[in-house]
Structure formats: structure tokens, C-alpha cells
Amino acid sequence: MTSFLPALRDRLGEAGLLTGGDLSAYERDWRKRYPGRALAVARPVSTDEVAAIMRLCHEHRVPIVPQGGNTGLVGGSTPDDSGRQLVLSLTRMKRLREIDAANASLTAEAGCVLADVQAAAAAAGLLFPLSLAAEGSCTLGGNLATNAGGTQVLRYGNARELCLGLEVVTAQGDVWHGLSGLRKDNTGYDLRDLFIGSEGTLGIITAATMKLHPQPRERLTALAACPSIDEAVALLGLARSRAGDALTGFEVMSRAALALVARELPQLRQPLPASPWTVLLELSDAEGAAHAQAVFEGLLEAAAERGLVQDAVIAQNLQQAQDFWHLRESIPLAQAQAGLNIKHDISLPVSSIPPFVAQMDAVLSAYMPGIEVINFGHLGDGNLHYNVQAPAGVAHADFLATHEAAINEQVYDAVQRLGGSISAEHGIGRLKRDELVRRKDPVGLTLMRSIKRALDPLDLLNPGRLL
Amino acid sequence: MTSFLPALRDRLGEAGLLTGGDLSAYERDWRKRYPGRALAVARPVSTDEVAAIMRLCHEHRVPIVPQGGNTGLVGGSTPDDSGRQLVLSLTRMKRLREIDAANASLTAEAGCVLADVQAAAAAAGLLFPLSLAAEGSCTLGGNLATNAGGTQVLRYGNARELCLGLEVVTAQGDVWHGLSGLRKDNTGYDLRDLFIGSEGTLGIITAATMKLHPQPRERLTALAACPSIDEAVALLGLARSRAGDALTGFEVMSRAALALVARELPQLRQPLPASPWTVLLELSDAEGAAHAQAVFEGLLEAAAERGLVQDAVIAQNLQQAQDFWHLRESIPLAQAQAGLNIKHDISLPVSSIPPFVAQMDAVLSAYMPGIEVINFGHLGDGNLHYNVQAPAGVAHADFLATHEAAINEQVYDAVQRLGGSISAEHGIGRLKRDELVRRKDPVGLTLMRSIKRALDPLDLLNPGRLL
């Protein structure tokens, strides 16, 4: 071990290896739940350097924690507190290698910030649709390692669906040259999708070729008030059948979620009167404003006729559209202001969302009268952020300390019963590792462990995360 | 071994195990290139029976060849001639387990015929878009094992993109319960996509949950004449940006391909005069006929103004639309009538298709004057069926015997140089196994072999295929 860091410094130079000073930006996760201590932080600038680091780690048996923008929510990208794990920060690998407009694809290195990838696509007249709250600091490599979701999944899919090919450094320090601009390639096992979502435990993604889409001519946003979650689900079906793929957003906000925003952020205008559920719909239109407006009006009229919608408002300009989205995105902020809460990032078949909401509301109010459920999320993807808050007058920290485990149990039991997932888009990391073992199909777990052993027999890649 | 077949018969009953009589339907591939001889044919009716078969095979070390509709083109689903491989036919497992219209998904067993899955979706008012020539006899399990493509990939993706979850029997005879109606699920490695496209070498798919889409209100088809392949590629970009996701088909046919159809199938009307390239475009419209017609006319006018299109015709009714598609689909038939030819199922980044066509035309006419290239395929996916035929007057069989290897070499070299794939949608099987080893990234091959060893250490699942 004494020769490891000097060898690493030889290979990477001064700028490429941090061993002293304040490393807390690399050692602490965004939610500050997992304070850690790194052996050192390696900051390679090329795939060759990543491969060299991995070979040295392999030779010296040094575990490695790959890290992008370090914006993850499950403790997957920071070291433990042993001081023996090397953080591998990809943030200096941020070259945009190629844009191929005719093929509607681009190739970028893992450390590229998501917003920069979006901007590069836009400069070529195309759309890179992956979009999420951390886009100003999260990186493409991290997006792929965690199969990031966000607000455009309904139409464009997760990071997985946007990826055509990868370049990956293996646990042995070899480079898999799997970059590809191909839409079709049936030459063997799907290694790409195996690395995507593996949270850095199977290999280190150094670059990716991503799909681009045509820029829509117009984006139009509306809010609609629904009498119950059943009508919100029915509205989704109607919107899909009438707007087809133009429907790019379908978010829901419960009455309690918007009431919380009204209390905590009273300066935000709420365009519709309070109703049991408020839906944010977004249409992306290939033709233009007039066409989008006509489709939206037709859809909302038909929905009103069927009693799915009680009230609705279409944004009249870009500012209003942004305000609608801001309302939706301010819910986590309002929650943070209100104090700690018990967070869940769950998914269900869309058809199971109404029974889930009904069952859980009953279970939780029986468990503790006055308990508050802040329920919102990407209904179009079946993904709810189902967060639970203390009743008025109960201290939030005490509530968490006493009830978090029991409430998680109730929520995850219901999710499992209804065919859902305990992690829709945030991943497993350290936060949900034990829960995964308890709840995942045992044969699936065995398969996962076999693959991990086959690709990383020394358990050097992000050990203790995910599996 | 003497106890294997009796044990199997005990478990499956008379109808479930064929050991005598004419088994040629199970032993011979569709193109009759790989005549084989089976130890027996097992025909389970349930996942439990598949698991029991696999456990017996594991115990007795009997290799197994999974088979669906047996319509594959690469020798992947028939036994070798040793008489020692068990064919596992999934065709009796054809239960449609569930349709969930609100979740836009269905769950069906592996032996369901593709056309029956399409019909079940249509009966629920939804679309299952996977569509290919063999749809009347190929099965869902085979479609997934080979990651089937077809004519709707441009908009809806391959079989992979349509799959939400799988049920799989492992090499040890365990059942992975991975069926899922979820759009988002970040709980571990993507086992689903590992099994998809693995050609039966990693596990046996017994059932799948598949995505459904809204039925388009109208489908409209057009033919357009392009002066060169460059204009056809530019037309694709224009069509994408103007029609967005409504563009569901973009097929090309070279002048030689349509001339061959005119010679061999003179009864088929060709609506446009001969031109260097003819494009078939299909729009699927969520709104209706008038809207689709307006989008198409606007697109074709804009294309004509830019010189991308010299002539065009929009189908005036369903019969005409079918005739346009029939023209495209009759090319393989015309080729079969004309005699043997050297087939390639290649893909390229769309931007590399013009240089590929130019380079190969030069190479092949230098190689042998008068050689005929029948070039057609799914340009929207970068997928060409680039078939090469003997010059007039040269016997086809002789031409193949003498020149197939050399011409394959030239074609695959160019494909590789331009970042393409030697198998876009047909897979590897036995036909392209050696070529795969020669041309695939060596680290990628090593990863594939590690995974195969980890999941099927005794090499019982479809041995000698793919890897």
C-alpha cells in the first residue's frame, strides 16, 4: 500500500491526485447522510488514465468509489469512513467528443455536466431530453450509472433509453470500446444496459453515445384539477390516446402537497383553486403553437365532458409555463422548509396507483391520526414521491426517529403487494441495500451476485453499494 | 442418460415429449442451412414444467436448444446433428396472462404467436407495435431471445424497447420472477436486457410483460423518389423534424431492387417511375386522416423545394397503402425467385450510409464488373439488407461458392470501418459466430464469456450459438 499512492501520483501528476486539504466535497453526499473519509481523490483526464488507475487499484487491492457530480440521494458515490477507499472523480473528463446531427447522436465523456450536454444538442438544433433538478451539476456518467429519470421519462425514457453505446473501464483495467451510434445491433449480450444502472459496481463508464431527438416547435403546459386519483389516471389514458407522443409531461400533486407549498412558499401563485389532485400536463408539438393549443383545448374539453377534470388553465406564455413547472418543483423545497420527513421514491403500474393511495391513506391514518402525506410525482411513469410528515404539533426529528422504520415497512409492503418498486429512479446505493435484499426476488439476487463476482471478483468497484 | 428420457416422460406426459416420428419441423431451420437431429423434443405447458426440464437437463448434463416459432435466419434454434441435444419447444405455452389497459401493458407466455399478441392488444383498443414478416408464426419468446426488429423500430424500438419485464428459467432450473408492469425501476442490475437478445444461451424466457401504445387514429403511406442516397438521408432528417414521432416508417429501395421486382413480379404495380432511390414513408397520426394528409403534403412540398424528392405519391386508401408496403416486402421474394444471393443484414450510423454505399459500389464493381447489389431496408434505423447477386449470365450457385467469403469480407470490413454492425436484427446464432469472434471488441467478448460462464457454467443452454 505504501507504494500505491506514489505510483498513482507518477501516473496522474499533481493535478490528478488530491491527498490532502479539504476533500469534503468528494467525501460527503449531497444529503449529508453518509460522511466518509477518502484514501485520496484521483482526477483523471482520459480513459487511459482511468484504466491505469484501475490497474493500480487491482494490483494493490484498493477499493474504488466512482463519482460524478456527487448529487445522488442514496449514498452511492462517496467513500465509507475507513479511509481506505479511493474516490475516482470523473469531473475532469468532460470533452464532447462528437455530435452527429444526421445520425441524431452525440458522444460525450462521463464528466460532462448534464446541462452542457443539453446545450450542445440544442446548438446542433436537436434535443437531449434528459432533464432533472440537479442538471446544473450532475454528470452524464452519473446519470448513466444510476439510470437517471426526471421529468421527460414519459415520452423519452430514462437515461437507459437514451443511450446507444458506452466506453467502460473494467475492474481489471481493460477498456471496453462499446461506443456506438447504432439503433440496431444484435451482436451479442447487452453489455451496455448491464453497466447502466449498476451504480459503479461493475465497471467505470468513461464515455457514452447518446440519442438526440428533434426539437419540438412548441411546448405547452396546463394545470388541471381532478376530483380523485382515479380521474387523474383516466385523464392520463385520454391524453395519451389523443395527443400520442406529444404528451411529454404528466405530473400530479395532491391537495396536501400544494397546501404545504401555500403555507411555506406563499409568494408562489397557485392558478387553480385547491382540489383533491392537480395535474400538470405538458405537450411538445412538432408543428407549432396553434396546433398545440388546439390539441390541448380539445383534450381538456373532452376530459371535462367525462367528468375527469373540474377546472383547467393553459399557460399563455413561456413565463406562465415555467411558473407551473416551478410550482411542481417547489414541493421538495417546501418540505425541506417544513422540516424532516420520511421520503419514498416508489413506482407502481399506473393501474395500481389508485388502490395504493386508498390503502395507504387508510393504513397511515389508522397508524397515527393527523399524519400528513405529501404525495406528488411523475404519474405518467407510475412514479410517486410518497413522503410522510409528522402530524401538526409533533417534532419532526422525534417523529422520524420513532416511526421511520415502521412507516417504511408499511409503504414498501403495499408497494410490493401491488407489483411496485421501492426505488423508481434514485437507485439503491447504501440507503436501500438491506431493503433490496429483503424484498428482491431471490433468484434475481443470485443472478446479480453471480454477475458481480464474474466481472469484479475482488469486489473493488464501489463495494458495499447496491449489493 | 438412460434414465433421462424416462424421467422426462414421467414429468411431461405423452403429449409433452416427442421422441419418435417426423421431428423435422423442430430439427430444421427455416432456411434449411442447418439440418440437425434432436435427442427428443420437450413441449412443456407451464413454467414449472420448463423448470423441471431444466433441472433434469442439469442433473444429466443434457444440452438444450430453446425454440419458439423456429423462424430465425441464423441457425440459432435447431439442434446440431449429434442427436444429443434436447429441443425445448415453447409453443404450447401460449396463455395471455393479463392485459392491463390502464397501465398500457400485457403479460403473455413465450409461445404466444406474435400476431396473436398484436390481436389481443388491438382488442383492448391498444397497439402492440412489433411487426415483422414472420409474425404469423414467430413467437414472443423468440422475438425477445433474438431482440427482433421489423418495420416499426424507427418509432417504437426493437423487442427490447417494448419489454417491461421477464420470467426466466435459469440454467439451474430456478425461476426468476422478473415480470413487471413498471416504467421505472432502479433496483439493481438490468437482468431483463441481459436475457433479451442472448439467443437462449443464458436462460429460457417463459413469459414477458410488454408495453402497449395508443392506436394511431390514421396511418398514411407515401412513396418518394430521391436522386441519390444523400437526399434520402436528408429527407429522413426533414421528416423527423416536421412529423416528430408520427413518422413510423422510413424504408428505402434502390433502383436495382425495384428493377428486380419488376422483372420477377411484373404483376406488381410500381406507382413511381424508376429513380435511383425510392423511399416508403409511413405516418401514424393521433388525430385523424385530414391532419395526417396535411402533414404529409407539407413535408413532401418542403422536400421537393429543397430538391430532396423528385416525385411522390400518397396512398389514397388502405389498399394502396398495403400495395406500397407489399412492394417493399416483395423484394426478398423477387430475390428468392431470381436465385441464390449473398445476404447481409447490416446497420450503420445513418450518417455513414451514403459513404458506405459509395465505397461498396466502387469496391464491388472493381471486384467483378456487372455484379448486382440489391440494396434495401430500414433506413430510419440505419439498417440495410445489402444483398449481392451474380452478374447476368453467371450461375448463382457457382457465384456463391466462389465469391461469398471474399464479398462478405469486403462488406464487413467496410461496415466495421464505418462504425457499423454485422448483424442488425437477425442475430448471430451459428451463421455469424466465427465472424463475431473476429470482429467484436475483444474486451467485450471477454465480458460476454465471463457472463456466460457465471450463469451457465456447464454450457447447457444453446451451446455453440452466439459464443
Side-chain angles (χ1 to χ4, degrees), chain B residues 45-112:
Chain B
V45 293
S46 70
T47 305
D48 281 349
E49 285 192 359
V50 175
I53 294 166
M54 199 64 237
R55 282 194 300 271
L56 279 170
C57 284
H58 195 258
E59 185 186 330
H60 294 268
R61 308 291 193 257
V62 175
I64 201 162
V65 178
Q67 186 180 92
N70 197 16
T71 60
L73 300 174
V74 293
S77 62
T78 47
D80 66 15
D81 55 9
S82 68
R84 294 171 49 196
Q85 301 186 328
L86 180 73
V87 170
L88 176 70
S89 168
L90 278 304
T91 50
R92 289 172 81 208
M93 283 191 66
K94 53 185 178 191
R95 217 155 44 90
L96 182 73
R97 291 195 190 161
E98 191 196 17
I99 288 207
D100 181 346
N103 192 50
S105 63
L106 66 74
T107 301
E109 291 182 343
C112 288

Side-chain angles (χ1 to χ4, degrees), chain B residues 104-150:
Chain B
S105 63
L106 66 74
T107 301
E109 291 182 343
C112 288
V113 169
L114 174 53
D116 294 340
V117 179
Q118 295 166 348
L126 291 162
L127 174 73
F128 182 60
L130 189 67
S131 175
L132 46 100
E135 63 196 25
S137 48
C138 66
T139 60
L140 184 61
N143 296 150
L144 287 163
T146 59
N147 187 29

Side-chain angles (χ1 to χ4, degrees), chain B residues 258-281:
Chain B
L258 285 180
L260 180 75
V261 172
R263 276 204 310 275
E264 296 292 334
L265 304 163
Q267 71 278 19
L268 292 186
R269 204 174 78 82
Q270 300 210 6
L272 291 179
S275 68
W277 291 86
T278 302
V279 176
L280 184 159
L281 300 99

Side-chain angles (χ1 to χ4, degrees), chain A residues 177-192:
Chain A
H177 296 285
L179 293 175
S180 160
L182 302 177
R183 260 68 183 174
K184 275 181 167 175
D185 181 13
N186 278 349
T187 57
Y189 302 157
D190 183 6
L191 300 173
R192 176 190 70 205

Side-chain angles (χ1 to χ4, degrees), chain B residues 173-406:
Chain B
D174 296 318
V175 181
W176 171 50
H177 296 284
L179 292 175
S180 160
L182 303 177
R183 259 69 181 174
K184 275 181 168 174
D185 181 13
N186 277 349
T187 56
Y189 302 156
D190 184 6
L191 300 173
R192 175 191 70 204
D193 286 312
L194 188 60
F195 289 114
I196 294 174
S198 69
E199 304 189 9
T201 64
L202 296 179
I204 297 159
I205 296 170
T206 49
T209 308
M210 307 298 293
K211 274 184 215 170
L212 304 177
H213 285 266
Q215 283 275 11
R217 278 223 173 27
E218 185 69 26
R219 275 222 185 89
L220 218 55
T221 307
L223 292 177
C226 293
S228 85
I229 190 73
D230 297 87
E231 279 80 13
V233 168
L235 177 61
L236 172 65
L238 185 69
R240 269 200 184 125
S241 83
R242 290 185 71 111
D245 295 304
L247 184 71
T248 47
F250 197 97
E251 305 279 315
V252 291
M253 302 170 272
S254 70
R255 184 198 292 266
L258 285 180
L260 180 75
V261 172
R263 276 204 310 275
E264 296 292 334
L265 304 163
Q267 71 278 19
L268 292 186
R269 204 174 78 82
Q270 300 210 6
L272 291 179
S275 68
W277 291 86
T278 302
V279 176
L280 184 159
L281 300 99
E282 183 189 77
L283 290 188
S284 295
D285 198 283
E287 293 166 58
H291 182 251
Q293 183 81 22
V295 172
F296 236 150
E297 283 169 4
L299 166 63
L300 292 171
E301 260 169 48
E305 272 167 29
R306 296 172 197 203
L308 306 182
V309 159
Q310 297 162 319
D311 201 352
V313 52
I314 301 177
Q316 290 309 304
N317 51 50
L318 195 62
Q319 184 57 50
Q320 274 192 12
Q322 286 171 351
D323 289 348
F324 290 5
W325 273 108
H326 186 58
L327 194 60
R328 156 68 183 82
E329 285 162 359
S330 68
I331 298 173
L333 181 63
Q335 286 197 288
Q337 285 197 20
L340 291 172
N341 61 78
I342 306 173
K343 291 189 193 299
H344 307 99
D345 164 44
I346 59 169
S347 64
L348 292 154
V350 171
S351 50
S352 295
I353 285 188
F356 173 81
V357 168
Q359 288 171 29
M360 282 312 302
D361 282 356
V363 164
L364 289 179
S365 56
Y367 178 80
M368 186 183 283
I371 208 166
E372 249 194 310
V373 175
I374 306 301
N375 193 354
F376 63 100
H378 320 289
L379 184 68
D381 319 319
N383 180 191
L384 294 177
H385 298 298
Y386 190 86
N387 298 342
V388 181
Q389 210 154 297
V394 177
H396 291 260
D398 294 348
F399 174 71
L400 251 73
T402 315
H403 300 289
E404 183 163 21

Side-chain angles (χ1 to χ4, degrees), chain A residues 100 102-104 146-150 153 155-156 158 160-161 168 170 172 174-178 180-199 201-202 211 213-215 217 233 236 240-246 285-287 291 295 347-352 378 380-383 419-428 436 440-441 443-445 447-452 454-455 466-467, chain B residues 100 102-104 146-150 153 155-156 158 160-161 168 170 172 174-178 180-199 201-202 211 213-215 217 233 236 240-246 285-287 291 295 347-352 378 380-383 419-428 436 440-441 443-445 447-452 454-455 466-467:
Chain A
D100 183 345
N103 192 51
T146 60
N147 187 27
V153 175
R155 162 60 194 99
Y156 300 103
N158 282 35
R160 180 186 307 292
E161 282 81 30
V168 172
T170 69
Q172 295 74 34
D174 296 317
V175 181
W176 172 50
H177 296 285
S180 160
L182 302 177
R183 260 68 183 174
K184 275 181 167 175
D185 181 13
N186 278 349
T187 57
Y189 302 157
D190 183 6
L191 300 173
R192 176 190 70 205
D193 286 313
L194 188 60
F195 289 114
I196 295 174
S198 69
E199 303 189 10
T201 64
L202 295 179
K211 272 185 217 171
H213 285 266
Q215 284 275 11
R217 280 226 172 26
V233 168
L236 172 65
R240 268 201 186 123
S241 83
R242 291 186 70 111
D245 296 303
D285 197 284
E287 292 166 57
H291 182 250
V295 172
S347 64
L348 293 155
V350 172
S351 50
S352 296
H378 320 288
D381 319 319
N383 179 192
S421 165
I422 63 165
S423 184
E425 54 179 10
H426 295 169
I428 299 298
L436 184 76
K440 192 88 175 171
D441 177 76
V443 175
L445 272 179
L447 289 166
M448 283 170 55
R449 291 189 180 117
S450 302
I451 291 165
K452 169 71 172 172
L455 267 48
L466 206 167
L467 273 180
Chain B
D100 181 346
N103 192 50
T146 59
N147 187 29
V153 174
R155 162 61 195 97
Y156 299 103
N158 282 36
R160 179 184 308 291
E161 282 79 31
V168 172
T170 70
Q172 294 74 36
D174 296 318
V175 181
W176 171 50
H177 296 284
S180 160
L182 303 177
R183 259 69 181 174
K184 275 181 168 174
D185 181 13
N186 277 349
T187 56
Y189 302 156
D190 184 6
L191 300 173
R192 175 191 70 204
D193 286 312
L194 188 60
F195 289 114
I196 294 174
S198 69
E199 304 189 9
T201 64
L202 296 179
K211 274 184 215 170
H213 285 266
Q215 283 275 11
R217 278 223 173 27
V233 168
L236 172 65
R240 269 200 184 125
S241 83
R242 290 185 71 111
D245 295 304
D285 198 283
E287 293 166 58
H291 182 251
V295 172
S347 64
L348 292 154
V350 171
S351 50
S352 295
H378 320 289
D381 319 319
N383 180 191
S421 164
I422 63 166
S423 183
E425 54 179 10
H426 296 167
I428 300 297
L436 184 76
K440 192 90 175 170
D441 176 76
V443 175
L445 272 178
L447 288 166
M448 284 169 55
R449 291 191 180 115
S450 301
I451 292 166
K452 170 70 173 174
L455 267 52
L466 207 168
L467 274 179

